[in-house]
Amino acid sequence: MANMDGRDLSLDLIEEIFSRVPAKSIARFRSTSKQWNALLKSVSFAKKHSANAPKEESLFIMLMDSRVFILKVNLHGIYDGCDPSAKVGHQFNLKDPRSSEVDSQVDIRNVFHCDGLFLCTTMDNRLVVWNPCLGETNWIKPRESYKKTDCYALGYDNDRSYKILRVDRQYSVLTTKNEYEVYDLTSNSWRVLGVATDWVLPKHFRGICVNGNAFWVAARRSFGYFLQSFDFSTEMFQSQSFPHPFPFGNPSLSVVGEEQLCLLGTNSSPYGRSDNFKVWVATSVGTGLSWRNSIAASNRKSKYKSYYVYNFFQGMSFLADELNNVIVYLSLDNILRIVGNNYHTQVENLGGGSIQSCSVLMNYVPSLAQISNKVNSLPGGSEREAPSTST
């Protein structure tokens, strides 16, 4: 019989076994031996694991007080009179490589999720790609400098090579200028791609990733809101269509799992009272989007209606739960709100926790995605900053 540490098993058999283990359980095996650690960190294993491992359950993640937490939400039986519950769970620790203190944490300004990876901007204008499942980071140096007004997205091309899009948003009353560039995590280099002048990415609308590509609600001065996407394979922007007809205003984007684009709209003016929400899900994400109706929420009898449109107009992130036919979001007053068909409730005390500032609510699926083929590890598990390459 093989020993529990696996010394009597061939490395090929160990790889086959681990490729079928959920990602969130893999990390603890890396400390068993240097050989296992090298195997579990390899690109070939990550690809095999992606093909063989069971699909992980999507988790709720929130950015709260500059930290990333799991949010545990129980929606079971809400239409049968059961009260929903929510509790702030595990905190993901993003260590600061510039600090000598063991427990020093980075203050996160914003977070973008793609394929189990987080792209984080920090309060001191740094940029990092982070796999919280593996505890690995890759700090990205700017080609020139980062700005608080920059817009970022993380995605991947047809070869599953990860890239970062940076849009330098320069707006004035008369002019619009979006200089954009891409960072390739395989070559560790920036490339300037071009300048767009006919649209803007409003700061209060969050971008999301679906199947490796990025999406935003964008705007044109004479056209209003539309859907803008960026293809990381062609490295080009493309305008996409909303569902037709689209009578609802104040659009917001989310994602179901990591594969379905989700669009929410409300039926009233930015500062009016809203009676209805409607959610559509994209059934294809090619050159042209196809949409299906998903969740319809009516709240004519709710005493909380005055919050709704204002929150979504400010770009609040949301999650659509099709199984329970509800929309879950955190309002500007940091209260978790759950909206369904003639149903509304709220969870003001998240398991006894006190929320000071929460700006992001999103889905997260743990993965073994590799941050880069060329990241050099430092003692203690931190990572070297990737070099800056001027074009």
Side-chain angles (χ1 to χ4, degrees):
M1 181 178 293
N3 292 333
M4 291 300 292
D5 61 7
R7 286 178 293 181
D8 293 343
L9 300 178
S10 69
L11 196 61
D12 288 343
L13 181 55
I14 292 172
E15 181 178 13
E16 186 67 28
I17 293 171
F18 280 151
S19 72
R20 303 175 189 278
V21 176
K24 60 185 178 183
S25 301
I26 288 292
R28 63 188 179 92
F29 293 110
R30 291 176 53 190
S31 60
T32 301
S33 69
K34 292 182 178 179
Q35 189 178 37
W36 282 23
N37 184 50
L39 167 66
L40 299 177
K41 290 180 65 176
S42 67
V43 175
S44 61
F45 176 77
K47 292 180 178 179
K48 191 169 187 177
H49 183 272
S50 177
N52 294 345
K55 186 174 179 60
E56 301 245 12
E57 181 182 358
S58 179
L59 304 173
F60 283 11
I61 296 293
M62 61 192 297
L63 178 62
M64 179 180 72
D65 299 334
S66 304
R67 302 287 187 268
V68 178
F69 293 86
I70 289 178
L71 178 63
K72 300 179 180 179
V73 181
N74 182 8
L75 300 173
H76 181 69
I78 59 174
Y79 288 106
D80 297 325
C82 297
D83 291 332
S85 63
K87 183 179 181 180
V88 177
H90 173 74
Q91 176 185 337
F92 294 110
N93 296 317
L94 179 57
K95 296 182 179 180
D96 192 340
R98 293 182 177 180
S99 175
S100 58
E101 297 181 11
V102 177
D103 297 330
S104 177
Q105 299 292 306
V106 177
D107 290 330
I108 300 171
R109 183 190 306 278
N110 207 345
V111 60
F112 189 98
H113 174 247
C114 171
D115 200 28
L117 301 178
F118 294 156
L119 175 66
C120 301
T121 56
T122 70
M123 292 297 187
D124 56 359
N125 291 330
R126 285 183 286 167
L127 188 67
V128 60
V129 181
W130 176 26
N131 186 331
C133 182
L134 297 179
E136 295 180 348
T137 56
N138 189 350
W139 293 85
I140 310 299
K141 285 187 176 180
R143 187 175 59 85
E144 294 179 349
S145 63
Y146 295 139
K147 301 176 182 177
K148 183 179 178 180
T149 56
D150 286 344
C151 177
Y152 295 95
L154 177 66
Y156 53 83
D157 60 21
N158 291 333
D159 296 325
R160 205 76 177 193
S161 296
Y162 295 98
K163 299 177 181 180
I164 299 169
L165 172 70
R166 176 191 180 224
V167 181
D168 180 3
R169 297 178 289 194
Q170 303 174 35
Y171 307 148
S172 68
V173 176
L174 299 176
T175 62
T176 299
K177 185 178 181 182
N178 298 291
E179 296 180 353
Y180 57 99
E181 57 187 351
V182 160
Y183 185 88
D184 191 316
L185 272 78
T186 301
S187 62
N188 288 336
S189 61
W190 287 101
R191 284 181 291 107
V192 176
L193 298 182
V195 179
T197 59
D198 60 340
W199 47 262
V200 298
L201 298 178
K203 289 184 289 185
H204 54 276
F205 285 141
R206 287 183 48 76
I208 62 168
C209 176
V210 180
N211 291 327
N213 295 325
F215 293 83
W216 300 265
V217 172
R220 292 192 178 99
R221 295 180 187 276
S222 59
F223 180 75
Y225 293 138
F226 69 101
L227 196 59
Q228 182 72 290
S229 67
F230 183 81
D231 188 316
F232 281 91
S233 295
T234 62
E235 296 184 347
M236 296 178 63
F237 286 99
Q238 182 178 0
S239 298
Q240 303 278 1
S241 61
F242 280 152
H244 182 75
F246 185 69
F248 281 41
N250 308 313
S252 297
L253 295 178
S254 184
V255 59
V256 177
E258 291 187 291
E259 301 172 350
Q260 292 184 300
L261 181 66
C262 186
L263 171 69
L264 179 144
T266 63
N267 70 337
S268 65
S269 61
Y271 298 100
R273 295 174 67 88
S274 175
D275 293 329
N276 297 294
F277 295 101
K278 194 169 185 179
V279 173
W280 292 262
V281 173
T283 56
S284 66
V285 190
T287 54
L289 296 179
S290 299
W291 299 90
R292 64 173 172 82
N293 289 325
S294 178
I295 300 172
S298 176
N299 299 280
R300 291 184 176 88
K301 297 180 181 180
S302 173
K303 63 181 178 180
Y304 303 109
K305 287 187 293 184
S306 59
Y307 286 102
Y308 293 163
V309 178
Y310 177 72
N311 287 326
F312 286 109
F313 181 71
Q314 293 295 318
M316 294 299 293
S317 53
F318 75 96
L319 294 172
D321 187 318
E322 291 192 285
L323 179 63
N324 293 289
N325 197 41
V326 295
I327 301 161
V328 181
Y329 73 100
L330 278 152
S331 58
L332 295 179
D333 49 7
N334 296 321
I335 294 175
L336 187 75
R337 300 183 183 273
I338 301 167
V339 183
N341 187 21
N342 289 319
Y343 176 88
H344 175 274
T345 190
Q346 60 187 42
V347 182
E348 298 190 40
N349 190 338
L350 298 182
S354 174
I355 297 181
Q356 300 301 318
S357 175
C358 183
S359 56
V360 177
L361 180 65
M362 63 184 181
N363 281 317
Y364 162 69
V365 179
S367 80
L368 302 180
Q370 299 295 303
I371 291 175
S372 172
N373 294 336
K374 300 182 180 181
V375 175
N376 299 313
S377 294
L378 292 171
S382 59
E383 308 290 346
R384 299 185 189 277
E385 289 189 347
S388 171
T389 303
S390 299
T391 55

